[in-house]
Amino acid sequence: MSRIILAPMEGLADNILRDCLTQIGGIDLCVTEFIRVTTQLLPPKVFHRLCPELANGCKTPAGIPVRIQLLGSDPEALAANAVRALELGSPGIDLNFGCPAKTVNRSQGGAVLLQEPKRVAHIIATVRHAIGDDAWLSAKMRLGFATKDLALENAQRIQGAGANELTVHARTKVEGYRPPAHWQWIKKIRQVVEIPVIANGEVWTPQDYAACRKASGSEDVMVGRGLVWKPDLALQIRHQRAGQPVQEWSWPALVPTVLYFIDLVDAQVAVKFQDARVKQWLKLLGRVYPQANACFEQGKRLKTLNELRSLVIHSQ
Ligand SMILES: Cc1cc2nc3c(=O)[nH]c(=O)nc-3n(C[C@H](O)[C@H](O)[C@H](O)COP(=O)(O)O)c2cc1C
């Protein structure tokens, strides 16, 4: 069955948003925000902080599995932390070769590694050796750093070094988040590897999903920002796939989820960061729902969750 996977999004798709989005439905798997690995074996509390689902069999409260993502360039350190993540209960490891952030690239992690396919392969092989043949190992790459010249070689080496699965965000690092995503490049990659290739980038509607699958030929699609702006997008896609009428959720239908989100923020986030977390999602939802935008505009200067909660309740 074709899967829809919630993309890892640092600072955005934490366990709280994963909980909300997977309650709505249509998502088959989540990947955590990256856990940054330098040279140390991280203590379990770091894994639990970025993946509180570990305490729940590594599933969201809705029962959707969550896979831990690691980011770094030190093969031995990545391997040791991968072993630890599996021991703590992650149902697999995802390695990030796509992150464009400057600080990350200065410490030689993320997309910068795509300039050196042999290094990418060495990292994957070292992690594979440490975790054994039975553990699930996936990698996530962009099409390259500045050019796409090494896209096929990177994918082949990722497969050759022992990854079970590859997600391709169909842009280079230099292309950033500028549309379009080059889905046809995913097809080129699929032609040179046998492992499943998950397509990613610029899926905002069920039509984009269908076009992405057609252009890439991929069975599975990873969706990031589209699911944050339109939390019912995976459900819409599922309905479309089943040949059922696609009904978009109205704002009143979404309000209980937003109120649930506020409750989770209230319970889990330090007080000084709470209002910013709620405003962040209202602002992004505001690109689709005018009522969310109104809540954001009216709530900009409010500080307490009770005030923001009341705005959302009265926005219906
Ligand atoms: C705010 C933000 C944070 C991200 N953090 C990560 C991350 O931690 N790990 C990763 O592999 N990709 C990360 N990405 C990239 C996304 O996983 C995804 O590849 C990208 O957003 C393209 O998909 P989309 O067009 O569906 O959003 C991030 C993207 C955004 C917008």
Side-chain angles (χ1 to χ4, degrees):
M1 218 226 8
S2 316
R3 292 174 305 166
I4 298 176
I5 301 163
L6 175 64
M9 284 178 284
E10 199 241 337
L12 190 55
D14 63 353
N15 67 301
I16 294 178
L17 197 63
R18 293 195 290 268
D19 183 355
C20 293
L21 296 179
T22 56
Q23 299 273 2
I24 289 177
I27 296 170
D28 300 291
L29 173 71
C30 303
V31 181
T32 65
E33 304 162 85
F34 65 75
I35 298 183
R36 170 77 133 286
V37 173
T38 52
T39 53
Q40 307 293 317
L41 175 60
L42 298 166
K45 68 171 188 231
V46 172
F47 293 86
H48 282 281
R49 192 175 68 234
L50 280 139
C51 186
E53 292 94 340
L54 283 170
N56 181 40
C58 220
K59 291 186 172 154
T60 67
I64 304 304
V66 182
R67 189 180 294 163
I68 287 184
Q69 184 184 69
L70 302 178
L71 171 102
S73 61
D74 180 327
E76 300 297 339
L78 284 166
N81 283 288
V83 170
R84 173 153 285 176
L86 293 170
E87 281 167 2
L88 291 172
S90 179
I93 299 295
D94 189 59
L95 294 176
N96 177 325
F97 298 105
C99 189
K102 278 204 181 70
T103 49
V104 168
N105 287 329
R106 265 203 299 276
S107 65
Q108 297 283 297
V112 74
L113 290 170
L114 296 173
Q115 297 173 118
E116 298 174 79
K118 285 188 186 147
R119 258 183 99 189
V120 170
H122 181 54
I123 289 172
I124 304 258
T126 309
V127 173
R128 167 57 77 204
H129 181 72
I131 63 177
D133 288 343
D134 295 338
W136 195 261
L137 178 61
S138 56
K140 180 162 177 282
M141 63 178 267
R142 284 183 176 245
L143 292 176
F145 190 81
T147 70
K148 303 178 183 62
D149 300 354
L150 297 172
L152 302 184
E153 183 180 347
N154 273 309
Q156 283 170 315
R157 286 190 186 270
I158 285 170
Q159 167 176 277
N164 300 100
E165 187 176 71
L166 173 65
T167 302
V168 179
H169 175 191
R171 277 183 276 242
T172 63
K173 183 266 170 194
V174 168
E175 286 166 345
Y177 289 93
R178 263 194 323 279
H182 306 283
W183 297 324
Q184 69 284 7
W185 266 90
I186 301 175
K187 184 171 246 171
K188 290 190 199 185
I189 288 174
R190 286 186 52 255
Q191 282 160 354
V192 299
V193 297
E194 276 140 40
I195 54 174
V197 178
I198 299 162
N200 171 237
E202 295 299 318
V203 170
W204 301 96
T205 62
Q207 292 75 23
D208 292 339
Y209 168 84
C212 172
R213 281 199 55 195
K214 190 158 181 238
S216 65
S218 288
E219 218 17 64
D220 298 328
V221 175
M222 177 180 276
V223 184
R225 295 160 301 161
L227 271 163
V228 182
W229 298 11
K230 270 191 205 165
D232 65 327
L233 178 58
L235 263 193
Q236 291 180 30
I237 291 170
R238 195 170 267 192
H239 288 144
Q240 171 180 273
R241 258 181 0 212
Q244 294 160 354
V246 175
Q247 275 184 353
E248 295 181 19
W249 280 23
S250 63
W251 176 247
L254 190 58
V255 162
T257 306
V258 178
L259 294 174
Y260 177 62
F261 178 83
I262 296 176
D263 288 345
L264 294 177
V265 169
D266 203 355
Q268 297 183 31
V269 176
V271 173
K272 63 177 173 182
F273 301 122
Q274 288 180 342
D275 64 311
R277 278 307 308 280
V278 173
K279 290 171 194 170
Q280 177 192 41
W281 199 26
L282 286 175
K283 184 157 195 246
L284 297 173
L285 289 168
R287 298 181 188 224
V288 172
Y289 296 98
Q291 300 95 323
N293 191 46
C295 288
F296 173 74
E297 290 298 332
Q298 289 163 32
K300 259 186 200 164
R301 277 169 204 84
L302 301 180
K303 286 278 172 226
T304 71
L305 285 190
N306 277 340
E307 291 168 306
L308 291 166
R309 204 181 261 119
S310 162
L311 265 184
V312 172
I313 290 170
H314 292 104
S315 66
Q316 301 174 67

